[in-house]
Coordinates of all heavy atoms in Angstrom, one line a residue:
M1 N 35.7 5.0 -72.7 CA 34.4 4.9 -73.4 C 34.0 3.6 -73.6 O 34.8 2.6 -73.8 CB 34.5 5.6 -74.7 CG 33.2 5.8 -75.3 SD 33.2 6.8 -77.0 CE 34.3 8.1 -76.6
A2 N 32.6 3.3 -73.5 CA 32.1 2.0 -73.7 C 32.4 1.5 -75.1 O 32.4 2.1 -76.0 CB 30.6 2.1 -73.5
K3 N 32.4 0.2 -75.2 CA 32.6 -0.6 -76.5 C 31.4 -0.3 -77.3 O 30.3 -0.5 -76.9 CB 32.8 -2.0 -76.2 CG 33.1 -2.8 -77.5 CD 33.3 -4.3 -77.2 CE 33.4 -5.2 -78.4 NZ 32.2 -5.2 -79.1
R4 N 31.6 0.0 -78.6 CA 30.5 0.3 -79.5 C 30.0 -1.1 -80.0 O 30.7 -2.0 -80.4 CB 31.1 1.1 -80.7 CG 29.9 1.6 -81.6 CD 30.5 2.5 -82.6 NE 31.3 1.9 -83.7 CZ 30.9 1.2 -84.7 NH1 29.5 1.1 -84.9 NH2 31.7 0.5 -85.6
N5 N 28.7 -1.1 -80.0 CA 28.1 -2.3 -80.7 C 28.1 -2.3 -82.1 O 28.0 -1.2 -82.7 CB 26.6 -2.4 -80.3 CG 26.4 -2.8 -78.8 OD1 27.2 -3.6 -78.2 ND2 25.5 -2.1 -78.0
D6 N 28.3 -3.4 -82.9 CA 28.4 -3.4 -84.3 C 27.3 -4.2 -84.8 O 27.4 -5.5 -85.1 CB 29.8 -3.9 -84.7 CG 29.9 -3.8 -86.3 OD1 29.2 -3.0 -86.9 OD2 30.8 -4.4 -86.8
W7 N 26.1 -3.7 -84.8 CA 24.8 -4.5 -85.2 C 24.6 -4.3 -86.6 O 24.2 -5.4 -87.3 CB 23.6 -4.0 -84.4 CG 23.7 -4.4 -83.0 CD1 24.3 -5.4 -82.3 CD2 23.2 -3.5 -81.9 NE1 24.1 -5.3 -81.0 CE2 23.5 -4.2 -80.7 CE3 22.4 -2.4 -81.8 CZ2 23.0 -3.7 -79.5 CZ3 22.0 -1.9 -80.6 CH2 22.3 -2.6 -79.4
L8 N 24.6 -3.1 -87.2 CA 24.1 -3.0 -88.5 C 25.2 -2.6 -89.6 O 24.8 -2.3 -90.7 CB 23.0 -1.8 -88.5 CG 21.8 -2.1 -87.5 CD1 21.0 -0.8 -87.4 CD2 21.1 -3.2 -87.9
G9 N 26.4 -2.5 -89.1 CA 27.6 -2.4 -90.1 C 27.8 -1.0 -90.4 O 28.7 -0.5 -91.2
D10 N 27.0 0.0 -89.8 CA 27.2 1.4 -90.0 C 27.1 2.1 -88.7 O 26.2 1.9 -87.9 CB 26.0 2.0 -90.9 CG 26.3 3.5 -91.1 OD1 25.7 4.3 -90.3 OD2 26.9 3.9 -92.1
E11 N 28.3 2.9 -88.3 CA 28.3 3.5 -87.1 C 27.1 4.3 -86.7 O 26.7 4.2 -85.6 CB 29.6 4.3 -87.0 CG 29.8 4.9 -85.6 CD 31.1 5.8 -85.6 OE1 32.0 5.7 -86.5 OE2 31.4 6.3 -84.4
M12 N 26.7 5.2 -87.6 CA 25.5 6.0 -87.2 C 24.2 5.1 -86.9 O 23.4 5.4 -86.0 CB 25.2 7.1 -88.3 CG 24.2 8.0 -87.9 SD 24.4 8.9 -86.2 CE 25.7 10.0 -86.6
L13 N 24.0 4.1 -87.8 CA 22.9 3.3 -87.5 C 23.0 2.5 -86.2 O 22.0 2.4 -85.5 CB 22.8 2.3 -88.7 CG 22.2 2.9 -90.0 CD1 22.3 1.7 -91.1 CD2 20.9 3.4 -89.9
D14 N 24.2 2.2 -86.0 CA 24.4 1.4 -84.6 C 24.2 2.3 -83.5 O 23.6 2.0 -82.5 CB 25.9 0.9 -84.6 CG 26.1 -0.3 -85.5 OD1 25.1 -0.9 -85.8 OD2 27.3 -0.6 -85.8
R15 N 24.6 3.7 -83.6 CA 24.3 4.6 -82.6 C 22.8 4.8 -82.4 O 22.3 4.9 -81.2 CB 24.9 6.0 -82.8 CG 26.4 5.9 -82.6 CD 27.1 7.4 -82.9 NE 28.5 7.3 -82.8 CZ 29.2 8.4 -83.0 NH1 28.7 9.5 -83.2 NH2 30.5 8.2 -82.8
M16 N 22.0 4.9 -83.5 CA 20.6 5.0 -83.4 C 20.0 3.8 -82.8 O 19.1 3.9 -82.0 CB 20.0 5.3 -84.8 CG 20.4 6.6 -85.4 SD 19.8 8.0 -84.4 CE 21.3 8.6 -83.6
M17 N 20.6 2.7 -83.1 CA 20.1 1.4 -82.4 C 20.3 1.5 -81.0 O 19.4 1.1 -80.2 CB 20.7 0.2 -83.1 CG 20.2 -1.1 -82.5 SD 18.4 -1.3 -82.7 CE 18.4 -2.0 -84.3
N18 N 21.5 2.0 -80.6 CA 21.8 2.1 -79.1 C 20.7 3.0 -78.5 O 20.2 2.8 -77.3 CB 23.1 2.6 -79.0 CG 24.2 1.6 -78.9 OD1 23.9 0.4 -78.8 ND2 25.4 2.0 -79.3
V19 N 20.3 4.1 -79.1 CA 19.3 5.1 -78.6 C 18.0 4.3 -78.5 O 17.3 4.4 -77.4 CB 19.1 6.3 -79.5 CG1 18.0 7.1 -79.1 CG2 20.4 7.1 -79.4
I20 N 17.6 3.6 -79.5 CA 16.3 2.9 -79.5 C 16.3 1.8 -78.4 O 15.4 1.8 -77.6 CB 16.0 2.2 -80.9 CG1 15.8 3.3 -81.9 CG2 14.9 1.2 -80.8 CD1 15.8 2.9 -83.3
M21 N 17.4 1.2 -78.2 CA 17.4 0.1 -77.2 C 17.5 0.7 -75.8 O 16.7 0.1 -74.9 CB 18.7 -0.8 -77.3 CG 18.7 -1.6 -78.6 SD 17.2 -2.7 -78.8 CE 17.3 -3.7 -77.5
G22 N 18.1 1.7 -75.6 CA 18.1 2.5 -74.3 C 16.7 3.0 -74.0 O 16.2 2.9 -72.9
L23 N 16.0 3.5 -75.0 CA 14.6 4.1 -74.8 C 13.6 2.8 -74.5 O 12.9 2.9 -73.6 CB 14.1 4.8 -75.9 CG 14.7 6.2 -76.1 CD1 14.2 6.7 -77.5 CD2 14.2 7.1 -75.0
A24 N 13.8 1.7 -75.2 CA 13.0 0.6 -75.0 C 13.2 0.0 -73.6 O 12.3 -0.3 -72.8 CB 13.4 -0.5 -76.0
E25 N 14.5 0.0 -73.1 CA 14.7 -0.5 -71.7 C 14.1 0.4 -70.7 O 13.4 0.0 -69.7 CB 16.2 -0.5 -71.4 CG 17.1 -1.5 -72.3 CD 18.5 -1.2 -72.1 OE1 19.0 -0.5 -71.3 OE2 19.3 -1.9 -72.9
E26 N 14.3 1.7 -70.8 CA 13.6 2.7 -69.9 C 12.1 2.6 -69.9 O 11.5 2.6 -68.8 CB 14.0 4.1 -70.3 CG 15.5 4.5 -70.1 CD 15.8 4.6 -68.5 OE1 14.9 4.9 -67.8 OE2 17.0 4.4 -68.2
L27 N 11.6 2.5 -71.1 CA 10.0 2.4 -71.2 C 9.6 1.1 -70.5 O 8.5 1.2 -69.8 CB 9.7 2.5 -72.6 CG 8.1 2.3 -72.9 CD1 7.4 3.5 -72.2 CD2 7.9 2.4 -74.4
Y28 N 10.2 0.0 -70.8 CA 9.8 -1.2 -70.2 C 9.7 -1.1 -68.6 O 8.8 -1.5 -68.0 CB 10.5 -2.4 -70.8 CG 10.1 -3.7 -70.0 CD1 8.9 -4.3 -70.4 CD2 10.7 -4.2 -68.9 CE1 8.4 -5.4 -69.7 CE2 10.2 -5.2 -68.2 CZ 9.0 -5.9 -68.6 OH 8.5 -7.0 -68.0
V29 N 10.9 -0.7 -68.1 CA 11.0 -0.6 -66.6 C 10.0 0.2 -66.1 O 9.3 -0.1 -65.1 CB 12.5 -0.2 -66.3 CG1 12.6 0.1 -64.8 CG2 13.5 -1.3 -66.6
T30 N 9.8 1.4 -66.7 CA 8.8 2.4 -66.3 C 7.4 1.8 -66.3 O 6.6 1.9 -65.2 CB 8.8 3.6 -67.1 OG1 10.2 4.2 -67.0 CG2 7.8 4.8 -66.6
R31 N 7.0 1.2 -67.4 CA 5.7 0.6 -67.5 C 5.5 -0.5 -66.5 O 4.5 -0.5 -65.8 CB 5.5 0.1 -68.9 CG 5.3 1.1 -70.0 CD 5.1 0.6 -71.3 NE 3.9 -0.2 -71.4 CZ 3.5 -0.7 -72.5 NH1 4.2 -0.7 -73.6 NH2 2.4 -1.4 -72.5
D32 N 6.5 -1.3 -66.3 CA 6.4 -2.4 -65.3 C 6.2 -1.9 -63.9 O 5.2 -2.3 -63.1 CB 7.6 -3.3 -65.4 CG 7.5 -4.5 -64.5 OD1 6.6 -5.3 -64.7 OD2 8.5 -4.6 -63.7
R33 N 7.0 -0.8 -63.6 CA 6.8 -0.3 -62.2 C 5.5 0.4 -62.0 O 4.9 0.3 -60.9 CB 8.1 0.7 -61.9 CG 9.4 0.0 -61.9 CD 9.6 -0.8 -60.6 NE 9.6 0.1 -59.5 CZ 9.9 -0.4 -58.3 NH1 10.1 -1.6 -58.0 NH2 9.8 0.5 -57.3
L34 N 5.1 1.2 -63.0 CA 3.9 1.8 -63.0 C 2.6 0.9 -62.7 O 1.7 1.1 -61.9 CB 3.6 2.7 -64.2 CG 2.3 3.5 -64.2 CD1 2.2 4.4 -63.0 CD2 2.3 4.3 -65.5
Q35 N 2.6 -0.2 -63.5 CA 1.6 -1.2 -63.3 C 1.6 -1.8 -61.8 O 0.6 -2.0 -61.3 CB 1.7 -2.4 -64.3 CG 1.4 -2.1 -65.7 CD 1.6 -3.0 -66.7 OE1 1.7 -4.2 -66.3 NE2 1.7 -2.8 -68.0
V36 N 2.7 -2.1 -61.4 CA 2.8 -2.7 -60.0 C 2.4 -1.6 -59.1 O 1.5 -2.0 -58.1 CB 4.3 -3.0 -59.6 CG1 4.4 -3.3 -58.1 CG2 4.8 -4.2 -60.5
M37 N 2.7 -0.3 -59.2 CA 2.2 0.7 -58.2 C 0.8 0.9 -58.3 O 0.1 1.0 -57.2 CB 3.0 2.1 -58.5 CG 4.4 2.1 -58.1 SD 5.3 3.6 -58.6 CE 4.1 4.8 -58.1
E38 N 0.2 0.9 -59.5 CA -1.2 1.0 -59.7 C -2.0 -0.1 -59.0 O -2.9 0.2 -58.3 CB -1.6 1.2 -61.1 CG -1.2 2.5 -61.7 CD -1.5 2.5 -63.2 OE1 -2.0 1.5 -63.8 OE2 -1.3 3.5 -63.8
R39 N -1.5 -1.4 -59.1 CA -2.2 -2.5 -58.5 C -2.2 -2.5 -57.0 O -3.1 -2.8 -56.4 CB -1.7 -3.8 -59.1 CG -2.0 -4.0 -60.5 CD -1.4 -5.2 -61.0 NE -1.9 -5.3 -62.4 CZ -1.0 -5.8 -63.5 NH1 0.2 -6.0 -63.3 NH2 -1.5 -5.8 -64.7
V40 N -1.0 -2.1 -56.5 CA -0.8 -2.0 -55.0 C -1.7 -0.9 -54.5 O -2.5 -1.1 -53.5 CB 0.7 -1.7 -54.7 CG1 0.8 -1.4 -53.2 CG2 1.5 -3.0 -54.9
L41 N -1.7 0.2 -55.1 CA -2.6 1.3 -54.6 C -4.0 1.1 -54.8 O -4.7 1.4 -53.8 CB -2.1 2.7 -55.3 CG -0.8 3.2 -55.0 CD1 -0.4 4.4 -55.9 CD2 -0.7 3.7 -53.5
E42 N -4.4 0.5 -55.9 CA -5.8 0.1 -56.0 C -6.3 -0.9 -55.0 O -7.4 -0.9 -54.5 CB -6.1 -0.5 -57.5 CG -6.2 0.6 -58.5 CD -6.4 0.0 -59.8 OE1 -5.8 -1.1 -60.2 OE2 -7.0 0.6 -60.7
S43 N -5.4 -1.9 -54.7 CA -5.8 -2.9 -53.7 C -5.9 -2.3 -52.4 O -6.6 -2.9 -51.5 CB -4.7 -4.0 -53.6 OG -3.5 -3.5 -53.2
R44 N -5.3 -1.2 -52.0 CA -5.4 -0.6 -50.8 C -6.5 0.5 -50.8 O -6.6 1.2 -49.7 CB -4.0 0.1 -50.4 CG -3.0 -0.9 -50.2 CD -1.7 -0.3 -49.8 NE -0.6 -1.3 -49.6 CZ 0.6 -1.1 -49.3 NH1 0.9 0.2 -49.2 NH2 1.4 -1.9 -49.1
G45 N -7.1 0.7 -51.9 CA -8.1 1.8 -52.0 C -7.5 3.2 -52.0 O -8.2 4.2 -51.6
A46 N -6.2 3.3 -52.4 CA -5.5 4.6 -52.3 C -5.4 5.3 -53.6 O -4.7 6.3 -53.7 CB -4.2 4.4 -51.6
L47 N -6.0 4.6 -54.7 CA -5.8 5.3 -56.0 C -7.1 5.7 -56.5 O -8.1 5.0 -56.5 CB -5.2 4.2 -57.0 CG -5.0 4.6 -58.4 CD1 -3.8 5.7 -58.5 CD2 -4.6 3.5 -59.2
D48 N -7.2 7.0 -56.8 CA -8.3 7.7 -57.6 C -7.8 8.1 -58.9 O -7.2 9.1 -59.0 CB -8.8 8.8 -56.7 CG -10.0 9.5 -57.4 OD1 -10.4 9.2 -58.5 OD2 -10.5 10.4 -56.6
R49 N -8.1 7.3 -60.0 CA -7.7 7.6 -61.3 C -8.0 9.0 -61.7 O -7.3 9.6 -62.4 CB -8.1 6.5 -62.3 CG -7.4 5.3 -62.0 CD -7.8 4.2 -63.1 NE -7.2 2.9 -62.8 CZ -6.0 2.6 -63.1 NH1 -5.2 3.4 -63.8 NH2 -5.5 1.5 -62.8
E50 N -9.3 9.5 -61.5 CA -9.7 10.8 -61.9 C -8.8 11.9 -61.2 O -8.4 12.8 -61.9 CB -11.2 11.0 -61.4 CG -11.7 12.3 -62.0 CD -13.3 12.5 -61.8 OE1 -13.9 11.4 -61.8 OE2 -13.7 13.5 -61.5
E51 N -8.4 11.7 -60.0 CA -7.5 12.7 -59.3 C -6.2 12.7 -60.0 O -5.7 13.7 -60.2 CB -7.3 12.2 -57.9 CG -6.6 13.3 -57.1 CD -6.4 12.8 -55.5 OE1 -7.1 11.9 -55.1 OE2 -5.6 13.5 -55.0
I52 N -5.7 11.5 -60.4 CA -4.4 11.5 -61.1 C -4.5 12.2 -62.5 O -3.7 12.9 -62.9 CB -3.9 10.1 -61.4 CG1 -3.5 9.4 -60.0 CG2 -2.8 9.9 -62.3 CD1 -3.3 7.9 -59.9
D53 N -5.6 11.9 -63.1 CA -5.8 12.5 -64.5 C -5.9 14.0 -64.4 O -5.6 14.7 -65.4 CB -7.1 11.9 -65.2 CG -6.9 10.4 -65.6 OD1 -5.7 10.0 -65.7 OD2 -7.9 9.7 -65.8
N54 N -6.4 14.5 -63.3 CA -6.6 16.0 -63.2 C -5.5 16.7 -62.5 O -5.6 18.0 -62.3 CB -8.1 16.2 -62.6 CG -9.2 15.8 -63.5 OD1 -9.2 15.8 -64.6 ND2 -10.2 15.2 -62.8
W55 N -4.5 16.0 -62.0 CA -3.4 16.6 -61.2 C -2.6 17.7 -62.0 O -2.3 17.4 -63.2 CB -2.5 15.5 -60.6 CG -1.5 16.1 -59.7 CD1 -1.5 16.4 -58.5 CD2 -0.1 16.3 -60.2 NE1 -0.3 16.8 -58.0 CE2 0.6 16.8 -59.0 CE3 0.6 16.2 -61.3 CZ2 1.9 17.1 -59.0 CZ3 2.0 16.6 -61.3 CH2 2.6 17.0 -60.1
K56 N -2.4 18.8 -61.3 CA -1.5 19.8 -62.0 C -0.4 20.1 -61.0 O -0.7 20.4 -59.8 CB -2.3 21.1 -62.2 CG -3.6 20.9 -63.1 CD -3.2 21.3 -64.5 CE -4.5 21.4 -65.3 NZ -4.9 20.1 -65.9
P57 N 0.9 20.1 -61.5 CA 2.0 20.4 -60.6 C 2.0 21.9 -60.2 O 1.6 22.8 -60.9 CB 3.2 20.1 -61.4 CG 2.8 20.2 -62.8 CD 1.3 19.9 -62.8
D58 N 2.5 22.1 -58.9 CA 2.8 23.6 -58.5 C 4.2 24.0 -59.2 O 4.8 23.2 -59.9 CB 2.7 23.7 -57.0 CG 3.9 23.0 -56.3 OD1 5.0 22.8 -57.0 OD2 3.8 22.6 -55.1
E59 N 4.5 25.2 -59.0 CA 5.7 25.7 -59.7 C 7.0 24.9 -59.3 O 7.7 24.7 -60.2 CB 5.8 27.2 -59.3 CG 7.0 27.8 -60.3 CD 6.7 27.8 -61.7 OE1 5.6 27.9 -62.1 OE2 7.7 27.6 -62.4
G60 N 7.2 24.6 -58.1 CA 8.3 23.8 -57.7 C 8.3 22.5 -58.3 O 9.4 22.0 -58.8
Q61 N 7.2 21.8 -58.3 CA 7.2 20.5 -58.9 C 7.4 20.6 -60.4 O 8.0 19.7 -60.9 CB 5.7 19.9 -58.6 CG 5.5 19.6 -57.2 CD 4.0 19.3 -56.8 OE1 3.2 19.9 -57.5 NE2 3.7 18.5 -55.8
R62 N 6.8 21.6 -61.0 CA 6.9 21.8 -62.5 C 8.4 22.0 -62.8 O 8.9 21.4 -63.8 CB 6.1 23.0 -63.0 CG 6.2 23.3 -64.3 CD 5.2 24.4 -64.8 NE 5.7 25.0 -66.1 CZ 5.7 24.4 -67.2 NH1 5.6 23.2 -67.5 NH2 6.1 25.2 -68.3
E63 N 9.1 22.7 -62.0 CA 10.6 22.9 -62.3 C 11.3 21.6 -62.3 O 12.2 21.3 -63.0 CB 11.1 23.9 -61.3 CG 10.7 25.4 -61.6 CD 11.2 26.4 -60.6 OE1 12.0 26.1 -59.8 OE2 10.6 27.5 -60.7
K64 N 11.0 20.8 -61.2 CA 11.7 19.5 -61.1 C 11.4 18.5 -62.2 O 12.2 17.9 -62.8 CB 11.2 18.8 -59.7 CG 11.9 17.3 -59.6 CD 12.2 17.0 -58.3 CE 12.7 15.6 -58.1 NZ 13.2 14.9 -59.3
I65 N 10.1 18.6 -62.6 CA 9.7 17.7 -63.8 C 10.4 18.2 -65.0 O 11.0 17.3 -65.8 CB 8.1 17.9 -64.0 CG1 7.4 17.2 -62.9 CG2 7.8 17.4 -65.3 CD1 6.0 17.5 -62.8
L66 N 10.6 19.5 -65.3 CA 11.5 19.9 -66.4 C 12.9 19.6 -66.2 O 13.5 19.2 -67.3 CB 11.2 21.4 -66.5 CG 9.9 21.8 -66.9 CD1 9.8 23.4 -66.9 CD2 9.4 21.3 -68.2
R67 N 13.5 19.7 -65.1 CA 14.9 19.2 -64.9 C 15.0 17.7 -65.2 O 16.0 17.4 -65.8 CB 15.3 19.5 -63.5 CG 15.7 21.0 -63.2 CD 16.5 21.2 -62.0 NE 15.9 20.6 -60.7 CZ 15.0 21.2 -60.0 NH1 14.6 22.5 -60.3 NH2 14.5 20.6 -59.0
D68 N 14.1 16.9 -64.7 CA 14.2 15.5 -64.9 C 14.1 15.2 -66.5 O 14.7 14.3 -66.9 CB 13.0 14.8 -64.1 CG 13.3 14.8 -62.6 OD1 14.4 15.0 -62.2 OD2 12.3 14.4 -61.8
R69 N 13.1 15.9 -67.0 CA 12.9 15.7 -68.5 C 14.2 16.1 -69.2 O 14.7 15.2 -70.1 CB 11.8 16.7 -69.0 CG 11.6 16.5 -70.5 CD 11.1 17.7 -71.2 NE 11.9 18.9 -71.0 CZ 11.6 20.2 -71.1 NH1 10.3 20.4 -71.5 NH2 12.4 21.2 -71.0
D70 N 14.9 17.1 -68.9 CA 16.2 17.5 -69.6 C 17.2 16.4 -69.3 O 18.0 16.2 -70.2 CB 16.6 18.9 -69.0 CG 15.7 20.0 -69.5 OD1 14.8 19.8 -70.4 OD2 15.8 21.2 -69.0
A71 N 17.3 16.0 -68.1 CA 18.3 15.0 -67.8 C 18.0 13.7 -68.6 O 19.0 13.0 -69.1 CB 18.4 14.6 -66.3
F72 N 16.8 13.3 -68.8 CA 16.4 12.2 -69.5 C 16.8 12.3 -71.1 O 17.4 11.5 -71.6 CB 14.9 11.9 -69.4 CG 14.4 10.7 -70.3 CD1 14.7 9.4 -69.9 CD2 13.7 10.9 -71.5 CE1 14.3 8.4 -70.8 CE2 13.3 10.0 -72.3 CZ 13.6 8.6 -71.9
I73 N 16.5 13.6 -71.6 CA 16.9 13.8 -72.9 C 18.5 13.8 -73.2 O 19.0 13.3 -74.1 CB 16.4 15.2 -73.3 CG1 14.8 15.1 -73.5 CG2 16.9 15.7 -74.7 CD1 14.1 16.5 -73.7
Q74 N 19.2 14.3 -72.2 CA 20.5 14.3 -72.2 C 21.1 12.8 -72.2 O 22.1 12.5 -73.1 CB 21.2 15.0 -71.1 CG 22.7 14.9 -71.0 CD 23.4 15.5 -72.1 OE1 23.0 16.6 -72.7 NE2 24.4 14.9 -72.6
A75 N 20.5 12.0 -71.4 CA 20.9 10.5 -71.4 C 20.7 9.9 -72.7 O 21.5 9.1 -73.2 CB 20.2 9.8 -70.2
V76 N 19.5 10.2 -73.3 CA 19.2 9.6 -74.7 C 20.1 10.1 -75.7 O 20.8 9.4 -76.5 CB 17.8 10.0 -75.1 CG1 17.4 9.6 -76.5 CG2 16.7 9.3 -74.1
L77 N 20.4 11.4 -75.7 CA 21.3 12.0 -76.7 C 22.7 11.5 -76.6 O 23.4 11.3 -77.6 CB 21.3 13.5 -76.7 CG 20.0 14.1 -77.2 CD1 20.0 15.7 -77.1 CD2 19.7 13.8 -78.7
S78 N 23.2 11.2 -75.4 CA 24.5 10.7 -75.2 C 24.8 9.4 -75.9 O 25.7 9.3 -76.4 CB 24.8 10.6 -73.7 OG 24.2 9.7 -73.1
R79 N 23.7 8.6 -76.0 CA 23.9 7.3 -76.8 C 24.1 7.6 -78.2 O 24.8 6.9 -78.8 CB 22.7 6.5 -76.5 CG 22.6 5.9 -75.1 CD 21.3 5.0 -75.0 NE 21.2 4.5 -73.7 CZ 21.5 3.1 -73.4 NH1 21.9 2.3 -74.3 NH2 21.3 2.7 -72.2
A80 N 23.3 8.6 -78.7 CA 23.4 8.9 -80.1 C 24.7 9.5 -80.5 O 25.2 9.2 -81.6 CB 22.2 9.9 -80.6
L81 N 25.3 10.2 -79.6 CA 26.6 10.8 -79.7 C 27.8 10.0 -79.3 O 28.9 10.4 -79.5 CB 26.7 12.2 -79.1 CG 25.5 13.2 -79.5 CD1 25.6 14.5 -78.6 CD2 25.7 13.6 -81.0
D82 N 27.5 8.8 -78.8 CA 28.5 7.9 -78.3 C 29.3 8.5 -77.2 O 30.5 8.4 -77.2 CB 29.3 7.4 -79.5 CG 29.9 6.0 -79.2 OD1 29.4 5.2 -78.3 OD2 30.8 5.6 -79.9
K83 N 28.7 9.2 -76.3 CA 29.4 9.9 -75.3 C 28.9 9.3 -73.9 O 27.8 8.8 -73.8 CB 29.2 11.4 -75.2 CG 29.7 12.0 -76.5 CD 29.5 13.5 -76.5 CE 30.1 14.2 -77.6 NZ 31.6 14.2 -77.6
P84 N 29.7 9.5 -72.8 CA 29.3 9.1 -71.5 C 27.9 9.9 -71.1 O 27.9 11.1 -71.5 CB 30.4 9.4 -70.6 CG 31.5 9.3 -71.4 CD 31.2 9.8 -72.8
P85 N 27.0 9.5 -70.4 CA 25.8 10.2 -70.1 C 26.0 11.6 -69.5 O 25.2 12.5 -69.7 CB 25.0 9.3 -69.1 CG 25.5 7.9 -69.5 CD 26.9 8.0 -69.9
G86 N 27.0 11.8 -68.6 CA 27.3 13.1 -68.0 C 27.9 14.1 -68.8 O 28.0 15.2 -68.5
E87 N 28.4 13.7 -70.0 CA 29.2 14.6 -70.8 C 28.3 15.4 -71.8 O 27.5 14.8 -72.5 CB 30.2 13.7 -71.6 CG 31.2 14.6 -72.4 CD 32.2 13.7 -73.1 OE1 32.7 12.7 -72.5 OE2 32.5 14.1 -74.4
P88 N 28.3 16.7 -71.8 CA 27.5 17.5 -72.6 C 27.8 17.3 -74.1 O 28.9 17.1 -74.4 CB 27.6 19.0 -72.2 CG 29.0 19.0 -71.6 CD 29.2 17.6 -71.0
P89 N 26.7 17.4 -74.9 CA 27.0 17.3 -76.4 C 27.7 18.5 -76.8 O 27.6 19.6 -76.3 CB 25.6 17.3 -77.0 CG 24.6 17.7 -76.0 CD 25.3 17.6 -74.7
E90 N 28.5 18.4 -77.9 CA 29.3 19.6 -78.6 C 28.4 20.4 -79.4 O 27.5 19.9 -80.1 CB 30.4 18.9 -79.3 CG 31.4 18.2 -78.4 CD 32.6 17.6 -79.2 OE1 32.5 17.5 -80.4 OE2 33.4 17.0 -78.5

């Protein structure tokens, strides 16, 4: 198991800080990549923001989106429970 950070002097607070930091890392990377993609697509004339805003997934896409969401939630919760990401919560 990974070494636990001791930031706040309380194990549960430290776990919550790990969750927050993990989410912050994910959010920053996602925002950065999205901005780059939007700029590249706009510069090529390949981005129609209205089309993006109005897009609806088909059933197969929706199922994949939900699976990805569940995997993301599991990864976040594993930090709070101080478990490896692939290990299910008890």
